Amino acid sequence: MREIKFRGKRLDNDAQTGPADGWVTGFYYQGLCEGKVRHFIASCPCVWEVDPATVGQYTGLKDRNGKEIWEGDIFRDNNKVLRSVFRVPGGLAFEDNPVSFGYDHRAPVYPYSSIAEMQNVSWLSQCCEVIGNIHDNPELLKRGEQ
């Protein structure tokens, strides 16, 4: 069974209250505070307010180095082609050519490959390496091959 957890970038960015890179993982929820919807990630005993644009779910998959693959991650395959992971109706997918098609996945039509297939899961774990994410490293997608 896949572990359900989320990742998001803290708004406070205080290294004393969480990881120095600003990313926190745990349970994601929204709350109404002072008439405004705010977004949080909790991992006992801590709760952090996060930027909702950065929130992504763990895919349950790992790259060839054993690093967890999250929505919004950018990975490189053995052919040095870059791809990004994102959510689509019914599951998760990766973009085959983020350079040509951009990385704004809110558009109703976008080319992607499903990562639900066992062949793709095996390919991700044996041939791919997470090298960044669309929030911290958007320049990677603009470069294409690395």
Side-chain angles (χ1 to χ4, degrees):
M1 188 162 137
R2 181 167 67 94
E3 184 177 9
I4 306 296
K5 60 183 177 179
F6 293 84
R7 170 181 80 175
K9 194 116 185 194
R10 294 188 336 265
L11 289 180
D12 68 8
N13 228 7
D14 181 355
Q16 293 187 10
T17 63
D21 66 358
W23 289 98
V24 292
T25 62
F27 172 74
Y28 170 66
Y29 68 96
Q30 299 174 26
L32 189 59
C33 302
E34 300 172 359
K36 182 180 174 189
V37 176
R38 293 168 60 188
H39 303 262
F40 302 93
I41 289 187
S43 182
C44 289
C46 299
V47 176
W48 300 277
E49 187 172 5
V50 295
D51 176 353
T54 66
V55 173
Q57 189 172 357
Y58 173 50
T59 64
L61 305 172
K62 294 184 179 182
D63 72 1
R64 68 178 177 211
N65 300 317
K67 185 173 182 178
E68 294 176 339
I69 300 174
W70 298 80
E71 291 177 15
D73 276 349
I74 299 169
F75 63 91
R76 176 178 45 215
D77 68 15
N78 286 342
N79 296 320
K80 309 249 186 255
V81 175
L82 300 181
R83 293 175 170 85
S84 60
V85 179
F86 61 100
R87 180 161 296 286
V88 294
L92 296 162
F94 58 83
E95 239 179 354
D96 288 331
N97 192 342
V99 175
S100 295
F101 301 107
Y103 54 90
D104 182 358
H105 309 297
R106 293 171 290 206
V109 178
Y110 36 78
Y112 65 86
S113 300
S114 168
I115 61 173
E117 302 165 20
M118 289 307 292
Q119 182 178 7
N120 286 332
V121 171
S122 176
W123 172 73
L124 285 165
S125 67
Q126 294 176 23
C127 303
C128 297
E129 174 181 22
V130 173
I131 59 169
N133 65 68
I134 62 173
H135 309 290
D136 290 341
N137 316 100
E139 73 280 358
L140 292 175
L141 293 179
K142 291 176 177 44
R143 282 193 240 152
E145 296 186 5
Q146 292 290 311

